[in-house]
Amino acid sequence: MMPRRPSLTVLAPLACLLVPAAPLAAQHYQCSVPRSVNVPRVTPDAPPRPMPVTGYTLALSWSPEFCKPRRGQPRHARQCSGQAGLFGLVVHGLWPESGRSWPQWCPSRRQLQARDLAANMCLSPSAALLARQWAKHGSCMARKPATYFRVTRILWDGLRLPDYDRVSREDGLTAGTIRTRFVDANRGWPREAVGVKLNARGWLEELRLCYDKRFMPARCDRTRFGAGDAAPAKIWRGL
């Protein structure tokens, strides 16, 4: 029997406790919602894995690093060409966790609508990415795509995002610096809840923010925590 999905209509308002008094730092510039979006077809690459949800990860990708080798590719034009705006941190996805594993590709009777994609393409500037995140992850934590994306936006709106373009110019930059700048901007966030993913050459790829099942910041496991504080780091500037 498939585990019952958590009631996000009850849990989502708890995320509002994370909303800071100060305004958000801008992470997308001159971005506009597209007038029309085609709903991409998503094909699962693994069997369904329904599991009880014990926590969540909000993965935020550093767009300049993502776009560095992809500029000029038509499939990434919205995010990387500059014609739809310039992006800093963008939402890779909101992922349910289950102990040392994670649920994925849960069956859902709800069809993803074009309006669900269009409304979120300044947070995740790729219809293909949004569609895949719902099919692989959101289907295991919400009954409707609109609910999954609404909770993602609530968590996003509860964050103050540092200007990592400016942080990139700091001397002696490390993963610990990246983590510290996030904690400095978000009072109440513990360092152990902020994962930093660097690529093999030490460039920032992603922040992975860890939450418990009530959407409160929680200690990341070793995999999600990523690079240790002493690891040398670099941030590609592209804004």
Side-chain angles (χ1 to χ4, degrees):
M1 179 179 295
M2 179 177 173
R4 185 177 180 182
R5 292 180 177 86
S7 178
L8 296 185
T9 56
V10 174
L11 292 176
L14 294 176
C16 295
L17 296 174
L18 303 177
V19 177
L24 276 171
Q27 291 292 313
H28 48 75
Y29 304 86
Q30 302 174 339
C31 176
S32 58
V33 173
R35 293 183 178 180
S36 63
V37 178
N38 294 323
V39 178
R41 183 176 180 178
V42 178
T43 302
D45 57 6
R49 190 164 60 210
M51 303 176 71
V53 176
T54 59
Y56 302 91
T57 302
L58 181 64
L60 305 180
S61 174
W62 180 242
S63 189
E65 179 62 29
F66 175 84
C67 289
K68 185 167 54 176
R70 296 174 175 88
R71 215 171 292 276
Q73 296 182 9
R75 64 178 294 195
H76 299 298
R78 176 174 174 82
Q79 182 171 354
C80 300
S81 70
Q83 295 178 1
L86 298 176
F87 298 89
L89 285 169
V90 298
V91 176
H92 179 171
L94 176 60
W95 307 333
E97 303 290 337
S98 185
R100 295 184 178 182
S101 188
W102 61 91
Q104 63 180 17
W105 303 115
C106 296
S108 174
R109 298 178 181 177
R110 303 283 184 166
Q111 295 296 316
L112 186 62
Q113 303 297 316
R115 62 178 177 272
D116 296 322
L117 300 178
N120 292 283
M121 287 187 66
C122 284
L123 295 187
S124 297
S126 166
L129 175 63
L130 287 165
R132 183 176 175 83
Q133 293 303 300
W134 155 250
K136 183 175 182 179
H137 301 291
S139 61
C140 296
M141 56 178 280
R143 293 180 176 86
K144 298 186 295 184
T147 303
Y148 171 69
F149 292 123
R150 184 169 69 249
V151 174
T152 301
R153 289 196 305 272
I154 288 172
L155 296 178
W156 170 271
D157 288 342
L159 301 173
R160 295 191 73 238
L161 301 173
D163 180 357
Y164 281 117
D165 195 69
R166 179 186 58 77
V167 174
S168 71
R169 295 171 168 82
E170 295 189 23
D171 294 333
L173 186 65
T174 64
T177 309
I178 294 170
R179 193 170 278 119
T180 297
R181 296 296 169 262
F182 181 88
V183 171
D184 289 346
N186 293 271
R187 185 176 301 176
W189 266 84
R191 295 178 60 82
E192 60 268 20
V194 183
V196 176
K197 182 183 178 184
L198 306 177
N199 68 17
R201 301 182 306 279
W203 293 92
L204 174 66
E205 284 191 346
E206 200 161 81
L207 296 184
R208 293 185 173 175
L209 308 179
C210 301
Y211 298 85
D212 64 19
K213 63 182 180 180
R214 299 177 301 118
F215 291 104
M216 300 301 290
R219 177 185 292 273
C220 298
D221 58 30
R222 182 181 300 179
T223 299
R224 289 183 293 162
F225 188 76
D229 282 348
K234 297 173 285 187
I235 302 175
W236 184 262
R237 295 193 292 270
L239 299 181

